[in-house]
C-alpha cells in the first residue's frame, strides 16, 4: 500500500526532527492509555526529540466534544487526536478535518495493525481488550465469570462495575459488541443487577480495588497494571470473545505544529514508545517488544470487534439506549 502513497505525504525523519524542534511543542488530545501511560509517552517524546508535549488525557467522548468546541470557536489547539471511538475518525475525515499523513515507520509495526485507514488519514497507535475482571480478595478464580452472560447471574447483583458508553470509547465498543452477540436484552438483564457505572473504563479498576464492586467489564491493560502494583485484581478472558479495541491517532488539519505532529506519529511507532506502552500493560505495536507480564499473547485470545462502519452508526445508538435503560 505504501508504494502508492505520494512522497509528499511521507517524511525524512532527520529533517522532520529538526523542523519539529523549531516548533517546540504540540498538544495531544488523548483517550488511549491510562493518564500515567499518556504522560509517560509524552515525556519520552520530549526526552528523545526536545519537543514538549501538552498531554490532555480524558475519556474519548470528552476529548471529541472538546475538539468540536475548538472547531466551533475557530480555534486550533489540538495537533494530534487519539480517540478510542472509531466513529470520531469517520466523521472528522468526511468533514475534511484530518491531515493525510502515512508514518514512515508503518512497515515496522505488526502487520495486524497496519493500513487501518486505506486513505492514510488515521492510523492504529494503540490496542487493548475489554475483558472480565475481578477482585481476587472477594472472588476465587474458579468462581469468577468465564463468559459475558455470567455477569447477568443474580449472584452478582450489586457487585458489577462498568464504565459509560457516553464517555468511554472502550465501553461504547463493548456495549455495541454485546448488543451484536446477545441483543439489547443483555443490558435489560444487566440493569437488574444494578451495576455501578463510572465514566472511563478505568473507573472499574478503582471500584474493584476499593471493594465497592467485585466483578467488572474492564480493560486488560489498566487492570493488569494495577495488579502488578500489588492490588487484588485479575482478568478473565471471556470464552465468547474479548473485545479488541483498535485505537487510532490522526493529525488535525491546519495544525499549528505540523512537523511536531508528524514526528509524534512516527514516535508512536517506535520501539521506545512500544516499550513504554508495554510497561503500562498496553499491547505493543512493535513485534520486537514482548507482551506485558501476565497478559496472554493476542494470538492465544479469542477476540471480537465491530467494523468501523458498525461503530460509526452503532455507538451513538447504544449511548441513547444505555441512557434509556440505566437512566444516566
Amino acid at each position: 500500500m505504501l508504494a502508492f502513497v505520494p512522497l509528499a505525504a511521507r517524511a525524512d525523519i532527520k529533517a522532520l526532527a529538526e523542523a519539529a524542534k523549531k516548533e517546540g511543542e504540540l498538544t495531544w488530545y488523548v483517550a488511549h492509555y491510562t493518564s500515567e501511560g499518556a504522560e509517560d509517552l509524552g515525556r519520552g517524546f520530549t526526552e528523545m526529540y526536545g519537543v514538549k508535549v501538552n498531554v490532555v488525557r480524558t475519556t474519548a467522548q470528552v476529548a471529541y466534544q472538546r475538539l468540536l468546541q475548538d472547531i466551533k470557536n475557530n480555534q486550533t489547539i489540538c495537533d494530534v487526536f487519539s480517540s478510542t471511538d472509531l466513529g470520531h475518525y469517520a466523521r472528522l475525515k468526511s468533514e475534511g478535518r484530518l491531515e493525510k499523513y502515512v508514518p514512515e515507520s508503518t512497515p515496522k509495526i505488526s502487520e495486524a495493525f497496519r493500513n487501518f485507514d486505506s486513505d492514510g488519514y488515521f492510523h492504529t497507535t494503540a490496542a487493548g481488550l475489554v475483558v472480565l475482571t475481578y477482585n481476587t480478595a472477594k472472588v476465587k478464580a474458579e468462581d469468577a465469570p468465564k463468559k459475558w452472560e455470567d455477569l447477568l447471574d443474580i449472584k452478582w447483583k450489586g457487585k458489577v462495575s462498568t464504565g459509560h458508553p457516553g464517555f468511554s470509547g472502550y465501553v461504547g465498543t463493548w456495549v455495541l459488541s454485546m448488543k451484536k452477540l446477545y441483543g439489547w436484552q443483555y443490558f435489560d438483564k444487566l440493569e437488574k443487577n444494578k451495576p455501578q457505572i463510572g465514566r472511563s473504563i478505568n473507573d472499574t479498576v478503582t471500584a474493584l480495588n476499593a471493594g465497592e464492586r467485585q466483578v467488572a467489564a474492564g480493560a486488560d491493560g489498566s487492570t493488569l497494571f494495577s495488579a502488578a502494583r500489588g492490588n487484588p485484581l485479575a482478568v478473565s478472558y471471556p470464552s465468547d470473545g474479548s473485545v479488541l479495541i483498535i485505537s487510532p491517532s490522526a493529525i488535525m488539519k491546519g495544525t499549528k505544529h505540523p512537523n511536531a505532529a508528524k514526528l509524534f506519529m512516527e514516535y508512536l511507532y517506535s520501539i521506545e514508545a512500544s516499550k513504554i506502552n508495554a510497561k503500562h500493560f498496553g499491547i505493543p505495536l512493535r513485534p520486537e517488544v514482548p507482551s506485558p507480564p501476565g497478559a496472554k499473547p493476542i494470538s492465544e485470545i479469542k477476540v471480537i470487534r465491530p467494523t468501523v462502519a458498525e461503530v460509526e452508526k452503532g455507538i451513538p445508538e447504544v449511548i441513547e439506549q444505555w441512557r434509556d435503560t440505566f437512566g444516566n
Side-chain angles (χ1 to χ4, degrees), residues 51-102:
V51 179
K52 180 184 175 187
V53 183
N54 303 306
V55 179
V56 183
R57 203 282 173 190
T58 63
T59 60
Q61 304 305 338
V62 171
Y64 186 57
Q65 290 306 316
R66 180 179 289 212
L67 185 70
L68 294 185
Q69 193 65 35
D70 293 347
I71 293 170
K72 183 181 176 184
N73 295 333
N74 293 317
Q75 292 179 308
T76 307
I77 299 173
C78 174
D79 297 296
V80 176
F81 181 67
S82 300
S83 173
T84 52
D85 185 337
L86 298 179
H88 294 164
Y89 297 95
R91 281 169 236 144
L92 292 168
K93 177 183 169 183
S94 69
E95 293 170 2
R97 305 288 186 189
L98 303 180
E99 182 74 33
K100 183 173 184 175
Y101 180 71
V102 179

Side-chain angles (χ1 to χ4, degrees), residues 15 92 98 159 170-171 173 219 232 235 238 244 252 269 281 293 321 326:
L92 292 168
L98 303 180
K159 298 175 182 176
Y170 265 58
V171 179
T173 307
V235 305
L244 177 62
M252 298 306 301
Y269 280 2
F281 291 82
Q321 286 181 287
F326 293 97

